[in-house]
Structures are given as C-alpha cells and as structure tokens.
Amino acid sequence: MKRIFALLIVFNVTACAELQEVVNQLPQSGGVGNADIAAALRQVLDFGIDKQVTKLTQTDGFYKNELVKILLPEELQKVDDALRKIGLGSLADEGIKVLNRAAEDAVKEATPIFINAVKDITFDDAKNILLGDDNAATTYLTSKTQAQLYDKFKPIISNSFGKVGADQIWNNLITKYNNLPLTNDVNPDLTDYVTNEALEGVYTMIAIEEKEIRNKVSSRTTDLLKKVFALQD
C-alpha cells in the first residue's frame, strides 16, 4: 500500500511539472515570443489612447460620459446641497461642468505624455499580462506610470483651470457657500482632486479598448494583435 501511495505522489509531481512546462512554453507556440507579446500589449495601449482617450479631449468628453464624469469630492457635496437649497443650482451645475472642462483640456495637452509612457514601458512578464484579466495591461500601465504622470499632469490641470474659468467660478461658489450662516468654511485642493480623477478617466478608457481587443476577434485589426491574442482565446 505504501509503495502504491509513493508511486501516486511521484506521478502527481511529474504531471504537475509537465503541465507547468506546457504553460511556460505556451507563448512560444506559433513562433510568438515575449518580444512579440510585449509589442502587442503596447499596441493595445496605443489603440486605447488613439480610439478611446481622444474622446475625452472633446467638449463634454468627461462631462457627458458617465463612466468618467468628474463629480464633486465628498467634502464639497455639502456645498452643492446648500447652494441648491437656496436657488443656486445653476451655479452648482456650472461648478461641476468646469471641473470636467479642465480635465478635457488637460487630457488634450497631456496625450503625448501617455503616448511616450506606453512607448517606454517595459513589460517584465508579458506572458502573464497576456493571459491575465481583461484589463491586465492597463493595470500594469497604471502601476508603472501613475505617480510619474501625476507630477506631469497636475500643472497642466492647474493651467487648465485658468483657461476654462474654473478657478474663478469655484472661488465665487466657495465664497457664496462660506458666507452662508451656520456653515464651516471649505477650501479643498481641487487641482489635486481633478488631476487624480482625470488620470483615472484616462486609464478607464484605455481599459475599454483592451477589453474589446481581448474579447472580440474583429477588434484585432493588425496581424500582430491577431497572432498574439489568439494565444489567450
């Protein structure tokens, strides 16, 4: 009995080792190596920028896109509620709109930053990303670029606030709120908030394109995408 049990253990270990070997060799099938996979993943992200992120740069690209629309931060919800209660709902609406306008303007200026980030990104484990979740490449891009892009994006957002009049509208809005009786003054860092929200919106839109390419053969419009993503089907 012990001998049979020992043989079963040896068989299981051997089978697992062979299975792992098959998995390890999977991306090489059909002449597809890690370099090809990495190139295809960059292509996916490039397509995400070209097809999806550019939508954000248009008027209402953020404001009328429920997936990425920038709403008020939690600490300003009370400002919104208070202004609407005293008949200043249109001013509150304009406050939300200019936050989104600033993001739309900033993404337009910052698109080359994202393109360069994708071009320079190194995929440490392209195979696992290929065989990962529907947004695995976008998640990887986020982890590798978010901190750097925040530093580049924030001054653009700050400048965009001035260009679209967001700073003036929000100064007016906050002043009116702070002058209301029985309210605590607020002074949020809207530049930081909109910067993070705008970046999140960009990554969200890139992920949409990645999911399309992963799940729809018709969305794989290049030979490289067809060859590489056939491995994960």
Side-chain angles (χ1 to χ4, degrees):
M1 184 69 181
K2 289 182 179 179
R3 184 176 298 175
I4 293 173
F5 183 67
L7 287 172
L8 286 174
I9 292 177
V10 171
F11 175 77
N12 285 334
V13 170
T14 303
C16 289
E18 290 177 350
L19 178 59
Q20 185 60 49
E21 184 66 21
V22 170
V23 172
N24 289 339
Q25 292 181 0
L26 176 60
Q28 303 298 332
S29 61
V32 180
N34 280 337
D36 290 323
I37 296 173
L41 293 174
R42 290 190 197 93
Q43 205 167 87
V44 167
L45 299 176
D46 281 335
F47 280 19
I49 294 170
D50 184 54
K51 294 184 178 181
Q52 301 294 341
V53 175
T54 52
K55 296 177 182 178
L56 300 178
T57 67
Q58 301 169 9
T59 301
D60 292 328
F62 273 87
Y63 188 63
K64 291 188 177 180
N65 184 339
E66 294 303 320
L67 288 175
V68 297
K69 182 178 180 179
I70 299 175
L71 302 176
L72 294 182
E74 184 177 350
E75 63 268 32
L76 287 182
Q77 290 294 338
K78 57 185 178 181
V79 178
D80 185 88
D81 293 341
L83 291 175
R84 293 184 190 280
K85 286 178 181 177
I86 62 172
L88 294 177
S90 60
L91 179 60
D93 289 337
E94 188 62 22
I96 294 174
K97 181 182 290 185
V98 293
L99 295 185
N100 287 271
R101 289 287 183 268
E104 291 157 11
D105 181 68
V107 171
K108 186 183 303 181
E109 292 189 39
T111 297
I113 296 175
F114 288 99
I115 293 173
N116 288 332
V118 170
K119 186 187 305 179
D120 295 337
I121 196 170
T122 300
F123 289 96
D124 298 327
D125 197 342
K127 177 179 62 179
N128 280 345
I129 295 171
L130 173 68
L131 301 178
D133 295 334
D134 281 347
N135 64 340
T138 306
T139 299
Y140 187 82
L141 175 69
T142 304
S143 69
K144 293 294 184 180
T145 64
Q146 190 167 31
Q148 174 192 7
L149 291 178
Y150 175 91
D151 292 337
K152 294 182 178 181
F153 214 83
K154 189 173 182 181
I156 297 175
I157 290 287
S158 180
N159 290 335
S160 295
F161 267 27
K163 288 172 63 177
V164 302
D167 49 358
Q168 184 175 0
I169 289 173
W170 270 96
N171 284 336
N172 183 29
L173 192 151
I174 295 295
T175 298
K176 287 184 180 296
Y177 173 80
N178 288 341
N179 286 335
L180 294 176
L182 304 178
T183 60
N184 296 320
D185 288 358
V186 297
N187 185 27
D189 185 353
L190 282 175
T191 302
D192 171 76
Y193 174 73
V194 173
T195 298
N196 282 311
E197 291 294 298
L199 283 170
E200 182 66 25
V202 167
Y203 291 125
T204 295
M205 297 305 290
I206 292 174
I208 288 174
E209 186 65 20
E210 179 182 357
K211 184 176 180 179
E212 283 282 307
I213 290 173
R214 284 183 179 274
N215 293 287
K216 292 184 179 179
V217 175
S218 59
S219 296
R220 301 168 191 170
T221 55
T222 70
D223 291 339
L224 181 62
L225 291 178
K226 292 173 184 176
K227 180 170 68 172
V228 169
F229 280 90
L231 298 176
Q232 57 108 70
D233 291 339

